[in-house]
Amino acid sequence: MTDQPDTDDSNQRANEKAARRKEARDRMMAEKTREKGLIIVNTGKGKGKSTAAFGMVMRCIGHGMKVGVIQFIKGKWDTGERTVLERFPDQIEIKALGEGFTWETQDRARDIAFARAAWDEGKRMMSDPSFQFVLMDEINIALRYDYLPVEEVVEFLTNKRPDLHVCVTGRNAKDEIIAIADLVTEMEMVKHPFRDGVKAQAGIEF
C-alpha cells in the first residue's frame, strides 16, 4: 500500500501527457482536409511489397470499390490472393501478363513484348472511370530492365485521373517514379528463410 501514492501520481502524469498528445493529434488531423488519388510505391529488397499492395486491394473491395490488377512479371501463378479475389468478379479485374522472372524466360524480346502488353492493360484500366484503384504489380522490375520507357510511365501516372489511386510494386523503383509518388515504402530485409534453404511456401509467398 505504501507505493499507491506514487502509482497514482505516475498514472495522473501519464494521463495528462496522453491528453496533450490527443489534443495535438486532433489539431493535426483537423488540418488534413484534402482528398486525392494517390501514387503509391512499394519497393525495397525485403519481402512484403506485393503482399501489402494486395492488402490495399482487399481493403478497397471492402469499401465497395472497383479494382484493377496487372501482374507484370509473375505470370499465372496459383496464388492464394488470386483465389480469394476471383470471388469478387464484379469488383476486380486481374490480368497476369508475364511469364516469370528474366532468369526463367531468357528471352528479352519476349519479356519486352509482355511488359508492353501489361502496360497497355494498365493504361486501359487507369483510363476507365469505373476503376478506383489500380495495382501494377512488379512494374518496377520491368522498368529496371528497361522493358518500358520510364518517361512514358511517369507521364501517364502524372496525368492520371485526380481521384484514381495507383500502386506500383517491385524492387529498385526508379528515381523518377519515386519523385512523382505520394507514398513510398521501402521494405528492408533483415532475415529471410530462403537463405537457410527454406523454399517458397503456400500462404506465405504465394
Side-chain angles (χ1 to χ4, degrees):
M1 298 295 294
T2 57
D3 293 337
Q4 188 65 34
D6 289 341
T7 301
D8 289 344
D9 289 345
S10 297
N11 289 342
Q12 180 64 28
R13 288 195 296 272
N15 291 342
E16 291 172 354
K17 185 180 291 186
R20 290 194 296 271
R21 285 198 303 267
K22 183 180 185 306
E23 184 180 352
R25 179 75 178 178
D26 288 345
R27 284 198 305 268
M28 181 183 71
M29 294 302 292
E31 297 171 356
K32 312 301 181 187
T33 58
R34 292 178 59 205
E35 289 188 15
K36 62 170 292 190
L38 302 178
I39 298 174
I40 302 160
V41 177
N42 290 350
T43 191
K45 295 181 179 179
K47 172 178 163 48
K49 297 176 287 293
S50 296
T51 304
F54 276 105
M56 284 188 282
V57 168
M58 302 285 189
R59 185 175 290 162
C60 289
I61 288 175
H63 284 287
M65 299 163 68
K66 186 175 179 181
V67 178
V69 176
I70 308 98
Q71 293 185 291
F72 275 74
I73 303 294
K74 294 172 181 174
K76 296 181 179 180
W77 287 6
D78 184 17
T79 60
E81 59 264 26
R82 181 176 296 151
T83 301
V84 171
L85 293 172
E86 285 176 348
R87 299 177 186 177
F88 301 89
D90 295 335
Q91 286 184 257
I92 188 160
E93 182 178 346
I94 304 174
K95 296 286 187 179
L97 293 164
E99 290 189 307
F101 292 96
T102 54
W103 56 84
E104 294 173 339
T105 62
Q106 300 181 36
D107 188 335
R108 177 176 169 80
R110 191 172 177 85
D111 289 338
I112 290 173
F114 273 96
R116 172 53 61 179
W119 173 235
D120 287 343
E121 282 294 323
K123 290 189 292 183
R124 177 186 66 80
M125 289 180 180
M126 287 188 284
S127 300
D128 183 339
S130 69
F131 288 98
Q132 295 164 281
F133 185 99
V134 174
L135 166 60
M136 291 189 284
D137 190 36
E138 303 289 2
I139 189 175
N140 289 340
I141 302 297
L143 292 170
R144 175 190 180 188
Y145 288 111
D146 297 320
Y147 295 165
L148 297 169
V150 67
E151 298 82 7
E152 179 182 343
V153 175
V154 166
E155 181 179 6
F156 202 93
L157 289 176
T158 302
N159 294 293
K160 70 175 181 60
R161 294 193 334 263
D163 61 340
L164 175 67
H165 301 297
V166 178
C167 180
V168 303
T169 73
R171 292 187 178 199
N172 302 110
K174 293 270 191 178
D175 290 340
E176 296 92 331
I177 298 294
I178 291 173
I180 64 168
D182 300 286
L183 173 62
V184 180
T185 300
E186 184 170 6
M187 309 292 186
E188 181 181 356
M189 184 177 68
V190 178
K191 296 180 71 174
H192 198 296
F194 185 76
R195 291 184 170 181
D196 292 326
V198 180
K199 68 179 184 179
Q201 299 179 84
I204 306 302
E205 276 81 22
F206 61 91

